Amino acid sequence: MNIVDPQIVAMFFIYILAMLAIGFMGWRQTSNLSDYILGGRRLGALVTALSAGASDMSGWLLMGLPGAVFLSGVSESWIAIGLIIGAWCNWQWVAGRLRVYTETSGNALTLPDYLANRFEDRTHMLRLFSALVILVFFTLYCASGVVAGARLFEHMFGLSYQTAIWISAVATISYVLIGGFLAVSWTDTVQASLMITALLLVPVMVIAAGNGVTPSVELIHGLNPLYTDMLRNLDVIAIISLMAWGLGYFGQPHILVRFMAARSLAEIKPARRIGMTWMILCLVGAVAVGFFGIAYFQLHPEQATMVQGNPETVFISLSLLLFNPWIAGMLLAAILAAVMSTLSCQLLVCSSALTGDIYRVFLRRNASSRELVNVGRLMVLAVSIVAVLLASNPDSRVLKMVSYAWAGFGAAFGPVILMSLFWSRMTRNGALAGMLVGAITVIVWKQGGYFGLYEIVPGFIFGALAIVVFSLLGPAPTASMRTTFGKVEAAMKRA
Protein backbone atom coordinates (compact mmCIF):
# COMPACT_ATOMS: atom_id res chain seq x y z
CA MET A 1 0.00 0.00 0.00
CA ASN A 2 2.16 2.85 -1.24
CA ILE A 3 0.06 5.98 -1.26
CA VAL A 4 1.26 9.31 -2.52
CA ASP A 5 -1.56 11.64 -1.50
CA PRO A 6 -0.88 15.36 -2.05
CA GLN A 7 -2.55 16.25 1.26
CA ILE A 8 -0.36 13.81 3.17
CA VAL A 9 2.72 15.11 1.38
CA ALA A 10 1.67 18.66 2.27
CA MET A 11 1.36 17.76 5.96
CA PHE A 12 4.83 16.24 5.93
CA PHE A 13 6.34 19.33 4.34
CA ILE A 14 4.56 21.61 6.81
CA TYR A 15 5.87 19.55 9.68
CA ILE A 16 9.47 19.44 8.43
CA LEU A 17 9.47 23.19 7.70
CA ALA A 18 8.18 23.85 11.21
CA MET A 19 11.06 21.81 12.68
CA LEU A 20 13.57 23.74 10.58
CA ALA A 21 12.07 27.03 11.77
CA ILE A 22 12.54 25.90 15.38
CA GLY A 23 16.10 24.92 14.49
CA PHE A 24 16.72 28.44 13.24
CA MET A 25 15.40 29.89 16.52
CA GLY A 26 17.77 27.59 18.40
CA TRP A 27 20.65 28.78 16.22
CA ARG A 28 19.96 32.38 17.19
CA GLN A 29 20.39 31.49 20.88
CA THR A 30 23.46 29.27 20.46
CA SER A 31 26.68 31.16 21.09
CA ASN A 32 28.99 28.64 22.77
CA LEU A 33 29.55 24.92 23.33
CA SER A 34 27.45 24.88 26.50
CA ASP A 35 24.50 26.26 24.54
CA TYR A 36 25.05 23.81 21.68
CA ILE A 37 25.30 20.61 23.73
CA LEU A 38 23.31 21.42 26.92
CA GLY A 39 21.17 24.45 26.13
CA GLY A 40 22.83 26.55 28.82
CA ARG A 41 20.95 24.55 31.49
CA ARG A 42 17.75 26.51 31.04
CA LEU A 43 15.02 23.96 30.31
CA GLY A 44 11.78 24.30 32.26
CA ALA A 45 9.74 21.39 33.66
CA LEU A 46 7.50 20.93 30.60
CA VAL A 47 10.32 20.97 28.07
CA THR A 48 12.51 18.76 30.29
CA ALA A 49 9.73 16.18 30.66
CA LEU A 50 8.55 16.04 27.07
CA SER A 51 12.05 16.25 25.66
CA ALA A 52 13.17 13.33 27.84
CA GLY A 53 10.10 11.33 26.83
CA ALA A 54 10.32 12.05 23.11
CA SER A 55 14.05 11.39 22.96
CA ASP A 56 13.48 8.11 24.80
CA MET A 57 10.75 6.51 22.73
CA SER A 58 11.84 6.91 19.08
CA GLY A 59 10.22 5.12 16.15
CA TRP A 60 10.11 2.04 18.36
CA LEU A 61 7.03 3.49 20.08
CA LEU A 62 4.90 3.77 16.94
CA MET A 63 6.43 0.94 14.91
CA GLY A 64 8.42 -1.59 16.98
CA LEU A 65 6.06 -2.00 19.96
CA PRO A 66 2.74 -2.01 18.03
CA GLY A 67 4.31 -4.44 15.57
CA ALA A 68 5.45 -6.80 18.34
CA VAL A 69 2.00 -6.78 19.97
CA PHE A 70 0.29 -7.26 16.59
CA LEU A 71 2.47 -10.29 15.95
CA SER A 72 2.43 -11.94 19.38
CA GLY A 73 -0.35 -10.37 21.46
CA VAL A 74 -0.44 -8.71 24.88
CA SER A 75 2.49 -10.73 26.23
CA GLU A 76 4.77 -8.20 24.52
CA SER A 77 3.44 -5.51 26.86
CA TRP A 78 5.79 -6.78 29.58
CA ILE A 79 8.33 -4.52 27.89
CA ALA A 80 6.06 -1.52 28.47
CA ILE A 81 5.56 -2.48 32.13
CA GLY A 82 9.30 -2.74 32.65
CA LEU A 83 9.88 0.59 30.93
CA ILE A 84 7.33 2.40 33.09
CA ILE A 85 8.88 1.08 36.30
CA GLY A 86 12.40 1.87 35.09
CA ALA A 87 11.52 5.38 33.93
CA TRP A 88 9.83 6.24 37.24
CA CYS A 89 12.88 5.03 39.19
CA ASN A 90 15.13 7.05 36.91
CA TRP A 91 13.13 10.23 37.50
CA GLN A 92 12.86 9.54 41.23
CA TRP A 93 16.44 8.51 42.05
CA VAL A 94 18.69 9.82 39.31
CA ALA A 95 17.24 12.97 37.73
CA GLY A 96 17.54 15.47 40.57
CA ARG A 97 20.77 14.13 42.02
CA LEU A 98 22.47 14.04 38.60
CA ARG A 99 21.34 17.62 37.92
CA VAL A 100 22.96 18.78 41.16
CA TYR A 101 26.09 16.64 40.88
CA THR A 102 26.95 17.64 37.31
CA GLU A 103 26.81 21.32 38.23
CA THR A 104 28.61 20.91 41.56
CA SER A 105 31.34 18.74 40.06
CA GLY A 106 33.00 21.12 37.61
CA ASN A 107 29.82 22.12 35.73
CA ALA A 108 30.01 18.99 33.57
CA LEU A 109 28.34 19.33 30.16
CA THR A 110 28.46 15.68 29.03
CA LEU A 111 28.28 12.28 30.70
CA PRO A 112 32.00 11.56 30.13
CA ASP A 113 32.71 15.06 31.50
CA TYR A 114 30.71 14.27 34.64
CA LEU A 115 32.49 10.95 35.23
CA ALA A 116 35.93 12.48 34.71
CA ASN A 117 35.14 15.30 37.17
CA ARG A 118 33.34 13.09 39.68
CA PHE A 119 36.33 10.77 40.04
CA GLU A 120 39.05 13.39 39.44
CA ASP A 121 40.47 11.33 36.58
CA ARG A 122 43.62 13.11 35.41
CA THR A 123 44.52 10.29 32.99
CA HIS A 124 41.33 10.90 30.93
CA MET A 125 40.78 7.14 30.71
CA LEU A 126 37.20 7.43 31.99
CA ARG A 127 36.45 10.23 29.59
CA LEU A 128 37.92 8.40 26.61
CA PHE A 129 36.33 5.04 27.27
CA SER A 130 32.88 6.43 28.06
CA ALA A 131 33.03 8.52 24.88
CA LEU A 132 33.91 5.40 22.88
CA VAL A 133 31.01 3.45 24.42
CA ILE A 134 28.69 6.30 23.46
CA LEU A 135 29.97 6.34 19.88
CA VAL A 136 29.75 2.56 19.38
CA PHE A 137 26.28 1.97 20.78
CA PHE A 138 24.77 5.29 19.74
CA THR A 139 25.82 4.84 16.14
CA LEU A 140 23.86 1.59 16.16
CA TYR A 141 20.98 3.34 17.94
CA CYS A 142 21.03 6.13 15.36
CA ALA A 143 20.91 3.51 12.61
CA SER A 144 17.68 2.13 14.12
CA GLY A 145 16.16 5.61 13.88
CA VAL A 146 17.20 5.90 10.25
CA VAL A 147 15.60 2.50 9.55
CA ALA A 148 12.31 3.59 11.16
CA GLY A 149 12.24 6.81 9.17
CA ALA A 150 13.12 5.00 5.97
CA ARG A 151 10.26 2.54 6.51
CA LEU A 152 7.86 5.46 6.84
CA PHE A 153 8.95 7.17 3.61
CA GLU A 154 9.22 3.85 1.79
CA HIS A 155 5.67 2.75 2.55
CA MET A 156 4.14 6.19 2.36
CA PHE A 157 5.54 7.44 -0.92
CA GLY A 158 6.54 4.32 -2.79
CA LEU A 159 10.24 5.17 -2.61
CA SER A 160 13.04 2.65 -2.72
CA TYR A 161 14.47 1.81 0.69
CA GLN A 162 17.85 3.33 -0.18
CA THR A 163 16.28 6.64 -1.25
CA ALA A 164 14.04 6.70 1.80
CA ILE A 165 17.06 6.29 4.11
CA TRP A 166 18.66 9.50 2.88
CA ILE A 167 15.45 11.53 2.98
CA SER A 168 14.82 10.39 6.57
CA ALA A 169 18.37 11.24 7.62
CA VAL A 170 18.48 14.65 5.94
CA ALA A 171 15.14 15.67 7.52
CA THR A 172 16.63 15.14 10.98
CA ILE A 173 20.22 16.23 10.40
CA SER A 174 19.18 19.65 9.14
CA TYR A 175 17.75 21.13 12.33
CA VAL A 176 20.34 19.46 14.58
CA LEU A 177 23.13 21.02 12.53
CA ILE A 178 21.46 24.41 12.71
CA GLY A 179 20.19 24.71 16.26
CA GLY A 180 21.92 22.23 18.54
CA PHE A 181 20.49 21.26 21.94
CA LEU A 182 17.91 24.03 22.21
CA ALA A 183 16.47 23.20 18.80
CA VAL A 184 16.40 19.50 19.67
CA SER A 185 14.66 20.14 23.01
CA TRP A 186 12.08 22.55 21.59
CA THR A 187 11.28 20.29 18.66
CA ASP A 188 11.03 17.36 21.09
CA THR A 189 8.27 19.22 22.92
CA VAL A 190 6.27 19.65 19.72
CA GLN A 191 7.00 16.09 18.65
CA ALA A 192 5.97 14.63 22.02
CA SER A 193 2.65 16.46 21.76
CA LEU A 194 2.11 15.06 18.28
CA MET A 195 3.02 11.52 19.38
CA ILE A 196 0.59 11.41 22.30
CA THR A 197 -2.21 12.82 20.12
CA ALA A 198 -1.66 10.06 17.57
CA LEU A 199 -1.46 7.31 20.19
CA LEU A 200 -4.70 8.40 21.80
CA LEU A 201 -6.64 8.96 18.56
CA VAL A 202 -5.70 5.86 16.53
CA PRO A 203 -6.63 3.26 19.20
CA VAL A 204 -10.03 4.92 19.69
CA MET A 205 -10.78 4.70 15.97
CA VAL A 206 -9.51 1.11 15.68
CA ILE A 207 -11.69 0.01 18.60
CA ALA A 208 -14.69 1.80 17.08
CA ALA A 209 -14.05 0.09 13.74
CA GLY A 210 -14.08 -3.27 15.54
CA ASN A 211 -17.49 -2.53 17.15
CA GLY A 212 -16.08 -1.86 20.61
CA VAL A 213 -13.64 -3.25 23.14
CA THR A 214 -15.50 -6.42 24.15
CA PRO A 215 -16.34 -7.68 20.62
CA SER A 216 -12.77 -6.98 19.52
CA VAL A 217 -11.25 -8.85 22.49
CA GLU A 218 -13.62 -11.79 21.92
CA LEU A 219 -12.69 -11.90 18.24
CA ILE A 220 -8.97 -11.81 19.03
CA HIS A 221 -9.31 -14.49 21.72
CA GLY A 222 -11.30 -16.69 19.35
CA LEU A 223 -8.67 -16.28 16.66
CA ASN A 224 -5.91 -17.40 19.02
CA PRO A 225 -6.25 -17.52 22.83
CA LEU A 226 -2.51 -16.87 23.14
CA TYR A 227 -3.05 -13.32 21.85
CA THR A 228 -4.82 -12.42 25.12
CA ASP A 229 -2.51 -14.40 27.39
CA MET A 230 -0.02 -12.22 29.29
CA LEU A 231 2.11 -15.30 29.94
CA ARG A 232 1.99 -16.64 26.36
CA ASN A 233 4.44 -19.52 26.77
CA LEU A 234 6.70 -17.17 28.72
CA ASP A 235 8.86 -18.63 31.46
CA VAL A 236 10.45 -16.66 34.29
CA ILE A 237 13.56 -15.85 32.23
CA ALA A 238 11.48 -14.48 29.37
CA ILE A 239 9.46 -12.22 31.68
CA ILE A 240 12.62 -11.00 33.42
CA SER A 241 14.18 -10.28 30.01
CA LEU A 242 11.20 -8.24 28.88
CA MET A 243 10.88 -6.26 32.11
CA ALA A 244 14.65 -5.76 32.26
CA TRP A 245 14.29 -3.09 29.59
CA GLY A 246 13.53 -0.82 32.54
CA LEU A 247 17.10 -1.24 33.81
CA GLY A 248 18.36 0.49 30.70
CA TYR A 249 17.07 3.91 31.75
CA PHE A 250 19.83 4.47 34.28
CA GLY A 251 22.46 4.44 31.54
CA GLN A 252 20.92 6.18 28.52
CA PRO A 253 23.01 9.31 27.79
CA HIS A 254 20.33 10.96 25.62
CA ILE A 255 17.86 10.80 28.53
CA LEU A 256 20.31 11.61 31.31
CA VAL A 257 21.48 14.74 29.50
CA ARG A 258 17.89 16.10 29.74
CA PHE A 259 18.12 15.91 33.52
CA MET A 260 21.45 17.73 33.40
CA ALA A 261 19.92 20.52 31.30
CA ALA A 262 17.00 21.31 33.64
CA ARG A 263 16.90 24.90 34.85
CA SER A 264 17.12 23.84 38.50
CA LEU A 265 16.47 20.99 40.90
CA ALA A 266 13.01 22.44 41.54
CA GLU A 267 11.99 21.65 37.95
CA ILE A 268 12.53 17.90 38.38
CA LYS A 269 9.46 16.99 40.44
CA PRO A 270 6.85 18.60 38.13
CA ALA A 271 8.82 17.28 35.14
CA ARG A 272 8.56 13.76 36.57
CA ARG A 273 4.79 14.02 36.86
CA ILE A 274 4.40 15.35 33.34
CA GLY A 275 6.87 12.89 31.87
CA MET A 276 5.40 9.78 33.51
CA THR A 277 1.83 10.73 32.56
CA TRP A 278 2.91 11.24 28.96
CA MET A 279 4.83 7.97 28.89
CA ILE A 280 2.07 5.80 30.36
CA LEU A 281 -0.55 7.17 27.97
CA CYS A 282 1.75 6.68 24.98
CA LEU A 283 2.70 3.11 25.88
CA VAL A 284 -0.91 2.11 26.53
CA GLY A 285 -1.85 3.63 23.19
CA ALA A 286 0.94 1.82 21.36
CA VAL A 287 -0.04 -1.54 22.85
CA ALA A 288 -3.69 -0.87 21.99
CA VAL A 289 -2.84 -0.08 18.35
CA GLY A 290 -1.09 -3.42 17.92
CA PHE A 291 -3.63 -5.45 19.88
CA PHE A 292 -6.85 -4.08 18.42
CA GLY A 293 -5.19 -3.99 15.02
CA ILE A 294 -5.38 -7.80 15.12
CA ALA A 295 -9.17 -7.61 15.25
CA TYR A 296 -9.37 -4.93 12.57
CA PHE A 297 -7.36 -6.84 10.01
CA GLN A 298 -9.17 -10.06 10.82
CA LEU A 299 -12.39 -8.25 9.89
CA HIS A 300 -10.76 -6.66 6.82
CA PRO A 301 -8.23 -9.21 5.51
CA GLU A 302 -8.19 -7.56 2.08
CA GLN A 303 -6.54 -4.51 3.66
CA ALA A 304 -3.78 -6.45 5.42
CA THR A 305 -1.21 -6.57 2.62
CA MET A 306 1.24 -4.15 4.22
CA VAL A 307 1.14 -5.61 7.75
CA GLN A 308 1.51 -9.15 6.44
CA GLY A 309 4.77 -8.10 4.84
CA ASN A 310 6.00 -6.19 7.91
CA PRO A 311 4.05 -6.12 11.21
CA GLU A 312 5.91 -2.96 12.24
CA THR A 313 3.80 -1.01 9.73
CA VAL A 314 0.51 -1.64 11.61
CA PHE A 315 0.27 1.98 12.83
CA ILE A 316 0.96 3.29 9.31
CA SER A 317 -1.70 1.01 7.79
CA LEU A 318 -4.39 1.92 10.31
CA SER A 319 -3.70 5.65 9.98
CA LEU A 320 -4.09 5.49 6.21
CA LEU A 321 -7.19 3.32 6.33
CA LEU A 322 -9.18 5.02 9.10
CA PHE A 323 -8.59 8.74 8.58
CA ASN A 324 -8.90 11.33 5.85
CA PRO A 325 -5.62 12.35 4.20
CA TRP A 326 -5.09 15.53 6.24
CA ILE A 327 -5.49 13.77 9.59
CA ALA A 328 -3.60 10.71 8.33
CA GLY A 329 -0.77 13.01 7.33
CA MET A 330 -0.67 14.47 10.84
CA LEU A 331 -0.73 11.01 12.44
CA LEU A 332 2.00 9.69 10.20
CA ALA A 333 4.05 12.79 10.89
CA ALA A 334 3.96 11.53 14.50
CA ILE A 335 6.13 8.60 13.40
CA LEU A 336 8.53 11.01 11.81
CA ALA A 337 8.38 13.03 15.05
CA ALA A 338 9.26 9.95 17.10
CA VAL A 339 12.14 9.11 14.79
CA MET A 340 13.45 12.66 14.59
CA SER A 341 13.19 13.37 18.31
CA THR A 342 15.33 10.40 19.31
CA LEU A 343 17.69 10.42 16.36
CA SER A 344 18.39 14.13 16.76
CA CYS A 345 19.37 13.91 20.43
CA GLN A 346 21.45 10.78 19.80
CA LEU A 347 23.34 12.57 17.06
CA LEU A 348 23.89 15.48 19.40
CA VAL A 349 25.19 13.26 22.22
CA CYS A 350 27.61 11.57 19.79
CA SER A 351 28.69 14.98 18.57
CA SER A 352 29.18 16.14 22.17
CA ALA A 353 31.35 13.12 22.97
CA LEU A 354 33.51 13.64 19.89
CA THR A 355 33.79 17.40 20.34
CA GLY A 356 33.83 18.02 24.09
CA ASP A 357 35.45 14.81 25.28
CA ILE A 358 37.88 13.93 22.50
CA TYR A 359 38.57 16.94 20.23
CA ARG A 360 38.78 19.56 22.98
CA VAL A 361 40.62 17.37 25.50
CA PHE A 362 43.06 15.50 23.27
CA LEU A 363 43.44 17.58 20.11
CA ARG A 364 42.64 21.28 20.61
CA ARG A 365 42.68 22.34 24.27
CA ASN A 366 42.62 26.03 23.34
CA ALA A 367 39.89 25.82 20.72
CA SER A 368 37.46 28.75 20.74
CA SER A 369 33.76 28.32 21.50
CA ARG A 370 32.86 29.03 17.88
CA GLU A 371 35.36 26.45 16.65
CA LEU A 372 33.95 23.83 19.01
CA VAL A 373 30.38 24.52 17.88
CA ASN A 374 31.43 24.16 14.24
CA VAL A 375 33.31 20.94 14.96
CA GLY A 376 30.22 19.69 16.76
CA ARG A 377 28.16 20.28 13.64
CA LEU A 378 30.72 18.43 11.52
CA MET A 379 30.58 15.49 13.94
CA VAL A 380 26.78 15.36 13.62
CA LEU A 381 27.24 15.00 9.88
CA ALA A 382 29.94 12.33 10.23
CA VAL A 383 27.95 10.15 12.65
CA SER A 384 24.87 10.52 10.45
CA ILE A 385 26.69 9.14 7.44
CA VAL A 386 27.95 6.13 9.40
CA ALA A 387 24.44 5.49 10.76
CA VAL A 388 22.98 5.60 7.26
CA LEU A 389 25.55 3.06 6.06
CA LEU A 390 24.72 0.74 8.99
CA ALA A 391 21.00 1.05 8.19
CA SER A 392 21.44 0.23 4.50
CA ASN A 393 20.27 -3.38 4.93
CA PRO A 394 16.54 -3.39 3.98
CA ASP A 395 15.93 -6.37 6.28
CA SER A 396 16.87 -4.36 9.38
CA ARG A 397 14.33 -4.42 12.22
CA VAL A 398 13.92 -1.40 14.48
CA LEU A 399 13.23 -3.29 17.72
CA LYS A 400 16.22 -5.62 17.32
CA MET A 401 18.66 -2.73 16.77
CA VAL A 402 17.25 -0.70 19.65
CA SER A 403 17.41 -3.72 21.96
CA TYR A 404 21.15 -4.17 21.47
CA ALA A 405 22.03 -0.49 21.89
CA TRP A 406 19.70 -0.13 24.90
CA ALA A 407 21.41 -3.07 26.62
CA GLY A 408 24.86 -1.70 25.83
CA PHE A 409 24.16 1.65 27.46
CA GLY A 410 22.18 0.21 30.34
CA ALA A 411 24.95 -2.20 31.34
CA ALA A 412 27.94 0.05 30.63
CA PHE A 413 26.60 3.24 32.24
CA GLY A 414 23.64 2.23 34.41
CA PRO A 415 25.50 0.80 37.43
CA VAL A 416 28.21 3.46 37.11
CA ILE A 417 25.72 6.36 37.18
CA LEU A 418 23.63 4.92 40.00
CA MET A 419 26.54 4.08 42.26
CA SER A 420 28.42 7.30 41.49
CA LEU A 421 25.43 9.24 42.78
CA PHE A 422 24.79 7.19 45.93
CA TRP A 423 28.04 5.49 47.02
CA SER A 424 30.76 7.77 48.35
CA ARG A 425 33.35 4.96 48.41
CA MET A 426 33.24 4.44 44.64
CA THR A 427 36.49 5.22 42.81
CA ARG A 428 37.76 5.86 39.31
CA ASN A 429 39.03 2.30 38.97
CA GLY A 430 35.63 1.00 40.01
CA ALA A 431 33.89 3.18 37.43
CA LEU A 432 36.26 2.13 34.67
CA ALA A 433 35.95 -1.56 35.57
CA GLY A 434 32.15 -1.29 35.72
CA MET A 435 31.93 0.23 32.25
CA LEU A 436 34.35 -2.28 30.73
CA VAL A 437 32.74 -5.34 32.31
CA GLY A 438 29.19 -4.14 31.55
CA ALA A 439 29.89 -3.38 27.89
CA ILE A 440 31.92 -6.54 27.25
CA THR A 441 29.32 -8.73 28.95
CA VAL A 442 26.59 -7.34 26.70
CA ILE A 443 28.62 -7.99 23.56
CA VAL A 444 29.65 -11.53 24.58
CA TRP A 445 26.21 -12.47 25.91
CA LYS A 446 24.53 -11.16 22.76
CA GLN A 447 26.70 -13.37 20.58
CA GLY A 448 26.14 -16.45 22.75
CA GLY A 449 22.46 -15.94 23.55
CA TYR A 450 22.92 -17.80 26.83
CA PHE A 451 19.75 -19.13 28.54
CA GLY A 452 17.60 -16.82 26.40
CA LEU A 453 18.25 -14.04 28.94
CA TYR A 454 18.35 -10.43 27.70
CA GLU A 455 21.98 -9.35 27.80
CA ILE A 456 21.30 -6.23 29.87
CA VAL A 457 20.64 -8.37 32.97
CA PRO A 458 24.04 -10.09 33.27
CA GLY A 459 25.73 -6.94 31.98
CA PHE A 460 24.15 -4.80 34.71
CA ILE A 461 24.87 -7.33 37.47
CA PHE A 462 28.48 -8.01 36.49
CA GLY A 463 29.13 -4.30 35.93
CA ALA A 464 27.85 -3.47 39.43
CA LEU A 465 29.96 -6.22 41.00
CA ALA A 466 33.05 -4.98 39.16
CA ILE A 467 32.47 -1.47 40.54
CA VAL A 468 32.29 -2.72 44.12
CA VAL A 469 35.30 -5.04 43.86
CA PHE A 470 37.67 -2.62 42.13
CA SER A 471 36.60 0.32 44.28
CA LEU A 472 37.30 -1.58 47.50
CA LEU A 473 40.59 -3.02 46.24
CA GLY A 474 42.07 0.37 45.38
CA PRO A 475 42.79 3.57 47.33
CA ALA A 476 39.90 5.37 48.99
CA PRO A 477 38.39 8.48 47.34
CA THR A 478 40.22 11.75 47.92
CA ALA A 479 39.11 14.31 50.48
CA SER A 480 37.86 16.65 47.73
CA MET A 481 35.75 13.85 46.20
CA ARG A 482 34.17 13.18 49.60
CA THR A 483 33.57 16.91 50.10
CA THR A 484 31.78 17.24 46.76
CA PHE A 485 29.70 14.15 47.55
CA GLY A 486 28.73 15.74 50.86
CA LYS A 487 27.67 18.96 49.15
CA VAL A 488 25.37 17.03 46.83
CA GLU A 489 23.90 15.10 49.76
CA ALA A 490 23.21 18.36 51.59
CA ALA A 491 21.59 19.92 48.51
CA MET A 492 19.30 16.91 48.08
CA LYS A 493 18.24 17.02 51.74
CA ARG A 494 17.34 20.71 51.42
CA ALA A 495 15.23 20.08 48.30
Side-chain angles (χ1 to χ4, degrees):
M1 187 194 305
N2 294 322
I3 296 180
V4 184
D5 189 294
Q7 293 161 306
I8 293 177
V9 173
M11 284 297 296
F12 268 67
F13 271 107
I14 291 170
Y15 171 76
I16 292 172
L17 288 173
M19 297 303 100
L20 289 174
I22 293 174
F24 180 73
M25 288 189 291
W27 171 75
R28 290 175 61 86
Q29 296 194 38
T30 298
S31 58
N32 54 50
L33 188 64
S34 175
D35 289 340
Y36 189 73
I37 66 177
L38 208 59
R41 294 189 193 269
R42 54 182 186 265
L43 301 189
L46 179 65
V47 176
T48 299
L50 296 185
S51 180
S55 62
D56 166 20
M57 287 303 174
S58 77
W60 171 85
L61 180 65
L62 289 97
M63 296 183 70
L65 180 57
V69 174
F70 180 78
L71 193 62
S72 302
V74 293
S75 60
E76 291 294 331
S77 61
W78 283 108
I79 296 177
I81 295 170
L83 288 175
I84 290 170
I85 295 172
W88 185 87
C89 292
N90 205 29
W91 276 107
Q92 180 70 22
W93 298 337
V94 174
R97 194 172 289 262
L98 184 64
R99 170 63 182 82
V100 173
Y101 221 133
T102 52
E103 188 170 29
T104 304
S105 184
N107 193 31
L109 300 180
T110 66
L111 208 55
D113 204 17
Y114 159 67
L115 293 174
N117 293 346
R118 163 70 174 85
F119 297 106
E120 298 180 355
D121 181 20
R122 305 290 184 257
T123 67
H124 299 301
M125 289 295 293
L126 265 179
R127 185 188 301 275
L128 180 61
F129 184 74
S130 54
L132 290 176
V133 170
I134 286 172
L135 291 175
V136 170
F137 287 109
F138 253 153
T139 304
L140 180 63
Y141 213 147
C142 290
S144 73
V146 174
V147 170
R151 291 293 179 206
L152 176 63
F153 284 102
E154 179 188 25
H155 290 292
M156 283 297 304
F157 305 122
L159 301 171
S160 70
Y161 181 76
Q162 299 301 327
T163 301
I165 280 180
W166 287 102
I167 293 176
S168 170
V170 169
T172 303
I173 294 167
S174 300
Y175 72 83
V176 182
L177 281 173
I178 295 170
F181 189 89
L182 286 175
V184 169
S185 298
W186 293 339
T187 54
D188 279 354
T189 305
V190 176
Q191 290 161 341
S193 302
L194 190 56
M195 289 158 66
I196 194 170
T197 300
L199 286 170
L200 291 176
L201 188 56
V202 173
V204 169
M205 293 300 292
V206 175
I207 291 170
N211 301 317
V213 173
T214 301
S216 295
V217 173
E218 290 174 349
L219 174 60
I220 294 167
H221 184 77
L223 180 64
N224 187 345
L226 293 178
Y227 281 140
T228 56
D229 184 2
M230 279 293 290
L231 298 177
R232 182 179 182 158
N233 299 324
L234 297 176
D235 55 18
V236 174
I237 288 180
I239 293 174
I240 289 174
S241 294
L242 290 170
M243 291 195 67
W245 279 69
L247 282 176
Y249 274 106
F250 303 119
Q252 303 302 317
H254 57 303
I255 298 172
L256 298 175
V257 75
R258 264 55 191 174
F259 303 155
M260 295 164 61
R263 185 183 298 126
S264 67
L265 179 60
E267 304 288 350
I268 297 298
K269 185 177 289 186
R272 182 180 71 239
R273 293 169 180 160
I274 296 168
M276 289 308 303
T277 301
W278 179 91
M279 181 183 184
I280 291 169
L281 290 175
C282 283
L283 284 171
V284 169
V287 170
V289 168
F291 182 70
F292 290 103
I294 299 171
Y296 180 87
F297 287 110
Q298 183 64 22
L299 292 171
H300 305 91
E302 74 283 356
Q303 299 177 352
T305 304
M306 188 189 296
V307 292
Q308 287 172 350
N310 184 354
E312 290 189 345
T313 61
V314 61
F315 181 89
I316 297 175
S317 297
L318 292 171
S319 298
L320 291 171
L321 292 167
L322 296 175
F323 297 90
N324 71 51
W326 284 110
I327 298 177
M330 181 195 73
L331 296 174
L332 294 173
I335 300 178
L336 186 59
V339 172
M340 292 173 73
S341 60
T342 302
L343 179 55
S344 61
C345 69
Q346 291 166 348
L347 288 173
L348 194 60
V349 171
C350 285
S351 169
S352 302
L354 284 166
T355 306
D357 299 304
I358 294 179
Y359 183 82
R360 182 174 62 175
V361 174
F362 295 99
L363 300 177
R364 289 274 291 174
R365 290 182 177 273
N366 298 320
S368 67
S369 292
R370 179 50 54 189
E371 178 184 346
L372 291 172
V373 170
N374 290 334
V375 170
R377 289 179 171 131
L378 287 175
M379 293 303 101
V380 167
L381 189 59
V383 174
S384 300
I385 293 172
V386 175
V388 169
L389 294 175
L390 287 175
S392 60
N393 180 3
D395 294 326
S396 300
R397 285 288 181 266
V398 175
L399 188 58
K400 183 177 180 181
M401 299 176 78
V402 170
S403 171
Y404 193 15
W406 189 265
F409 282 127
F413 287 134
V416 173
I417 294 299
L418 274 174
M419 298 180 78
S420 73
L421 295 174
F422 289 95
W423 190 33
S424 62
R425 181 63 177 80
M426 185 175 171
T427 65
R428 187 212 73 155
N429 290 346
L432 191 58
M435 277 194 287
L436 278 166
V437 171
I440 292 171
T441 301
V442 165
I443 294 170
V444 172
W445 205 276
K446 177 69 174 179
Q447 301 306 313
Y450 305 108
F451 312 115
L453 182 65
Y454 185 23
E455 56 269 19
I456 195 174
V457 178
F460 200 97
I461 293 172
F462 294 156
L465 289 174
I467 292 170
V468 173
V469 170
F470 281 85
S471 291
L472 294 178
L473 285 176
T478 65
S480 58
M481 287 169 61
R482 293 195 298 270
T483 298
T484 302
F485 189 90
K487 289 179 180 178
V488 174
E489 285 289 307
M492 294 305 299
K493 289 177 180 178
R494 291 195 300 268

